[in-house]
Amino acid sequence: MAVGTRPTSHRPQSGPAAVQRRGRSARDRGDGRAGYVFLTPWLLGLMAVTAIPMLMSLYLSFTNYDILTPWSDVEWIGLKNYQRMFTADPAYWHAVKVTLVFAFIATPLKLGSALGVALLLNRSFRGSGLFRGLFYLPSLLGGSVALAMVWHSLFDRGGSVNAVLGWFGIEGKAWVNDPSTALGTLILLAVWQFGAPMVIFLAGLKQVPNELYEAAEVDGAGSFRKFLSVTLPMLSPVIFFNLVLETIHGFQGFTSAFVLSGGTGGPVDSTLMYTLYLYIRGFANYEMGYASAMAWVFLITIGLVTAVLFRTGRFWVHYSDGDD
């Protein structure tokens, strides 16, 4: 027997301590079973609403399923949907282009507007709470159909935008029906809904220690220098969080494009967002197999974009605990 080891006793333990341990173990098992019971509705919802539909969508992306075809006649066509998407569908690449333009213009403008307004509202003044609520109000409406319809009426030929421009002698036009400006109205609508990231920026600004600003003032830093050297580094985790969320949100634009274009992506496909084109293929043309393939490419693309953002975040996101 090795020195320092003790013989293991296989006799059942007895005594008050053993009884207490057995009681505690039985209680833990009971708590575990109760936990699983409470988790059951969530697990059933996850399987029924998310996991099984995703697996079905993955299978359908390799078939010619078109909703109208009986399930028994569905054929396995391998990668033909993906091949068609990348090599024989110009509208697909046009939708990709429109979505990239929308996301890469709307996202920085939205974040810039949110940060600028948050910096203004971070100061204490009379009525600041009211202004915070008013600026957040558009985000409460979200991407609703009603909001998109209001936006359409504002930028139509007889809308309020043209009425305001008329005060300055500027002749308006039907902004939502002009291919050169229709996407711009969608971008403006997305930027206008900056309330949610603004609230997150406000919360982040409240966490910046005043001692850092005081130290910067001692070193002679002005307002702009303090913004660059103190505010932005301390706010970088919040900026990163908003950047990831709003980038994903930008790629998912659908409701406003659907309403403003009447579900067609017009005029002249100028607002044909990726998700809108996916909807047209799946639910208007009944090409559910092809739409499923588009959905999986979309999912993988967003995952890659998110991974790139996380990869680059290590170079510019600063955490106050020193874990950069």
Side-chain angles (χ1 to χ4, degrees):
M1 180 181 299
V3 177
T5 59
R6 295 180 179 179
T8 303
S9 175
H10 297 287
R11 290 181 300 176
Q13 298 179 349
S14 59
V19 172
Q20 186 178 8
R21 282 196 295 273
R22 285 198 292 271
R24 188 166 54 246
S25 178
R27 188 167 59 250
D28 291 342
R29 287 195 297 272
D31 291 343
R33 285 193 291 269
Y36 285 119
V37 169
F38 281 110
L39 275 176
T40 299
W42 180 83
L43 289 173
L44 291 176
L46 175 67
M47 295 298 294
V49 179
T50 304
I52 294 177
M54 285 187 68
L55 293 176
M56 287 294 297
S57 171
L58 181 60
Y59 170 75
L60 291 177
S61 70
F62 298 104
T63 69
N64 63 346
Y65 182 57
D66 64 357
I67 297 181
L68 301 179
T69 302
W71 189 255
S72 58
D73 295 336
V74 174
E75 295 181 6
W76 179 272
I77 59 173
L79 296 174
K80 287 186 178 179
N81 283 329
Y82 295 92
Q83 183 181 5
R84 172 190 171 191
M85 189 189 315
F86 293 130
T87 62
D89 189 357
Y92 171 81
W93 288 109
H94 180 75
V96 171
K97 177 184 175 183
V98 171
T99 304
L100 289 176
V101 170
F102 176 83
F104 286 122
I105 293 179
T107 301
L109 288 178
K110 186 175 185 178
L111 291 180
S113 303
L115 179 57
V117 175
L119 289 171
L120 293 175
L121 297 181
N122 189 42
R123 304 172 181 176
S124 297
F125 58 91
R126 189 174 184 180
S128 59
L130 174 62
F131 283 106
R132 291 170 187 170
L134 289 176
F135 281 114
Y136 183 65
L137 187 59
S139 292
L140 288 178
L141 301 174
S144 64
V145 174
L147 181 61
M149 293 177 67
V150 170
W151 206 256
H152 185 281
S153 65
L154 286 174
F155 284 90
D156 207 351
R157 181 171 293 279
S160 302
V161 173
N162 283 339
V164 173
L165 292 176
W167 298 344
F168 301 96
I170 301 174
E171 184 180 359
K173 60 181 179 179
W175 303 91
V176 293
N177 296 323
D178 190 323
S180 63
T181 56
L183 185 60
T185 60
L186 291 181
I187 293 173
L188 280 178
L189 176 56
V191 174
W192 181 60
Q193 297 172 312
F194 62 79
M198 179 204 71
V199 171
I200 298 174
F201 279 136
L202 268 174
L205 289 170
K206 297 294 183 186
Q207 302 302 317
V208 180
N210 285 326
E211 292 79 4
L212 296 179
Y213 291 114
E214 293 170 357
E217 290 176 357
V218 170
D219 292 339
S223 299
F224 185 67
R225 188 63 189 175
K226 286 190 290 185
F227 173 74
L228 290 180
S229 302
V230 178
T231 304
L232 282 183
M234 295 302 294
L235 207 59
S236 58
V238 180
I239 296 173
F240 176 72
F241 177 77
N242 275 332
L243 177 63
V244 172
L245 287 187
E246 294 303 327
T247 301
I248 295 174
H249 187 68
F251 278 98
Q252 294 176 329
F254 173 78
T255 304
S256 56
F258 182 88
V259 174
L260 265 67
S261 68
T264 63
V268 199
D269 291 341
S270 59
T271 59
L272 187 64
M273 305 283 284
Y274 192 101
T275 50
L276 178 57
Y277 185 55
L278 189 155
Y279 171 85
I280 291 173
R281 283 295 183 184
F283 295 96
N285 298 342
Y286 307 117
E287 298 175 285
M288 194 56 70
Y290 188 67
S292 297
M294 287 184 61
W296 275 96
V297 171
F298 188 59
L299 175 66
I300 294 171
T301 302
I302 288 182
L304 290 175
V305 171
T306 306
V308 169
L309 290 177
F310 271 90
R311 189 72 177 175
T312 59
R314 65 178 62 183
F315 299 109
W316 60 273
V317 178
H318 168 77
Y319 294 99
S320 57
D321 58 359
D323 187 16
D324 292 343

